Amino acid sequence: MKVSEETSQKIKNMSLLCAVFVVWIHCGHPKNQFSTSWFASQMLFNGITGIAVPFFFLISGFFIGRHNIESDEYRSELKKRFASLVIPFYIWNTLFWILVISLTISANILHGADLTRNLTRNLSFENLWNLTGFGIGVVLGPLWYMRTLVLLIIISPLIVRLNKHWTWLLIPSSCIFIYLLVRPDLTTDHPLKNFIRFLLSPTGLLYFSFGIFISRRKNAIQLKPIHCMLAFTFGCLLLFVRAIVPQVPGYTLAIHELAIPFLMIGVWHVIPSFKMPQTLSGISFLIYVMHMFFILTSDLTLKQFFAADVEDWKFYIP
């Protein structure tokens, strides 16, 4: 199925917006609960921005699903996408790790401290293993998406073959995901929950598979403007409910996950299809990856270089 010029431009524009959304997700949020700024944060920076990574998974599945899985073109496409993900993953992961080490050593020199101070965790086996991409975490946080996408691309032929029965794949994975999220005995940092969310990622599987499903339909899915507006309104209502109900770990996140597809429909509808300058349309990935470098640098500068007491400044790879 050939993608129209209008759809192609909307995808580029939406990708740029979602890259900015990822930056907002990693910014600080007001802690004064139920204040005006806190509500705004819950609805925008900690709410609507949640569509970003699911959209990236959906679009990746969409472009993979457009090819005939029996053709040489499909195998060539898989190899190309695999290389375009794996090589940048290791390059950016390594560069970020080097930056952390370099800035920490520089701060040690500035404060006249031992050069190895605060390096223990950064040089731990866990972080070095994460550097390879085979650990549960990754050194540069946003790159978990790229690693999960590599896994999904590997199994994409299976997903394509199950296309006609995609609900049998998506519904159970979504139910398992929500169940693990709401289990009270699994805290946010529990290894099993992190393994599910950031390596297997049922969310990624859900939207990647749905992207394949959309790409293989003979007729494009058309929604009327009123339907898109209602979907977005319902998504915002779910965000509001999440904000006012007692903050129960897991359940509030599950409400957010439920709101994401409705919010995505609304945002996609209002995204313009005009052609942006080539410079802007091509920087979505750089924004997605490099914003953590700026966050790290500013955090380290404020906490370490300007700390009055050397014991007060510490920075570790998350």
Side-chain angles (χ1 to χ4, degrees), residues 52-64:
V53 175
F55 175 77
F56 290 141
F57 277 120
L58 186 146
I59 290 303
S60 297
F62 175 78
F63 283 114
I64 285 291

Side-chain angles (χ1 to χ4, degrees), residues 17-59:
L17 177 64
C18 286
V20 175
F21 279 177
V22 172
V23 178
W24 284 350
I25 290 172
H26 292 143
C27 292
H29 305 291
K31 295 183 178 180
N32 186 10
Q33 197 172 22
F34 300 121
S35 64
T36 302
S37 59
W38 181 85
F39 263 114
S41 175
Q42 291 296 303
M43 299 297 292
L44 297 174
F45 305 134
N46 198 27
I48 296 175
T49 55
I51 72 172
V53 175
F55 175 77
F56 290 141
F57 277 120
L58 186 146
I59 290 303

